[in-house]
Amino acid sequence: MSEHTSIAEVEKLSQEKELQLQKDMADHFMKTIQHRVMIAEKAHEMGKKVIIVDIDGTICRQVGNPGESIDANEFINAEPFPKRIEYLNSLHDEGHYIHYWTARGCWHGNDTLKETREQLDSWGVKYNDVAVFKPFYDIWIDDKGVGVRRDTEGSITEFKANISQAIEML
């Protein structure tokens, strides 16, 4: 067997492995999507909503400036907004499916799920699911989005009204 033939065979095997990896990843993502669809269907059958909630700037003070890299675990120093947490916990108690999704770790590629869960638990946050690696963005435009003030806990009345209105509309 010539050197060129050997190289071609190695490249072919490498391409086949890459293709299999892509298929395996697609299967994994499809199973995850199907699982989330099933959760949403069950929640809706019970008259409940699936509510995705950001963490930093939403239920706690934003550490650093949004869109700027901070030290990998600096978010641990965030101060919670107790009234917002209490309200979101009440939605959980009503049976809504609360999913916290954060961009923590995105800048550095660090998996901060364990630390984030520990922090949420220490704040008494109730949730059904937590995920990290929310896509990085400067502005998220969505037909179901609810904006909140990030600089301060602000008026809990305004926070509740914005969320309640969105729940009623859907």
Side-chain angles (χ1 to χ4, degrees):
M1 183 180 303
S2 74
E3 181 179 333
H4 294 292
T5 305
S6 295
I7 291 172
E9 286 183 22
V10 168
E11 287 177 0
K12 181 180 177 188
L13 284 172
S14 178
Q15 289 172 352
E16 289 172 358
K17 286 182 179 180
E18 177 66 26
L19 183 59
Q20 185 60 49
L21 177 61
Q22 290 175 5
K23 288 178 181 179
D24 291 346
M25 288 177 66
D27 287 345
H28 169 75
F29 287 120
M30 283 309 297
K31 287 177 184 169
T32 301
I33 290 167
Q34 290 166 347
H35 176 75
R36 293 197 185 283
V37 167
M38 181 203 62
I39 288 170
E41 287 173 346
K42 294 296 179 190
H44 295 161
E45 285 173 11
M46 298 184 308
K48 304 302 177 183
K49 303 294 182 198
V50 175
I51 303 171
I52 302 250
V53 183
D54 181 38
I55 296 174
D56 299 299
T58 303
I59 65 164
C60 66
R61 188 168 307 283
Q62 177 81 41
V63 175
N65 295 315
E68 293 180 7
S69 177
I70 61 170
D71 289 339
N73 288 322
E74 188 68 22
F75 67 85
I76 278 305
N77 298 321
E79 299 171 26
F81 294 150
K83 291 177 186 174
R84 289 184 178 185
I85 291 169
E86 181 181 325
Y87 175 65
L88 292 167
N89 282 350
S90 75
L91 294 176
H92 180 272
D93 292 343
E94 289 175 13
H96 297 289
Y97 188 92
I98 308 295
H99 176 109
Y100 284 93
W101 192 20
T102 181
R104 291 174 173 189
C106 286
W107 280 101
H108 302 284
N110 296 336
D111 183 351
T112 60
L113 182 58
K114 179 181 179 284
E115 295 84 357
T116 297
R117 284 181 184 271
E118 289 171 355
Q119 186 177 52
L120 294 177
D121 293 344
S122 75
W123 292 342
V125 174
K126 297 178 182 180
Y127 55 86
N128 299 92
D129 201 3
V130 179
V132 295
F133 295 120
K134 179 177 78 173
F136 172 78
Y137 61 91
D138 289 308
I139 298 172
W140 186 306
I141 300 171
D142 191 288
D143 63 326
K144 298 179 188 177
V146 175
V148 299
R149 296 174 191 263
R150 89 166 48 101
D151 56 340
T152 178
E153 187 168 13
S155 165
I156 193 64
T157 304
E158 176 187 17
F159 184 79
K160 286 181 179 180
N162 290 346
I163 295 170
S164 295
Q165 180 183 21
I167 288 173
E168 294 300 320
M169 287 177 46
L170 297 171

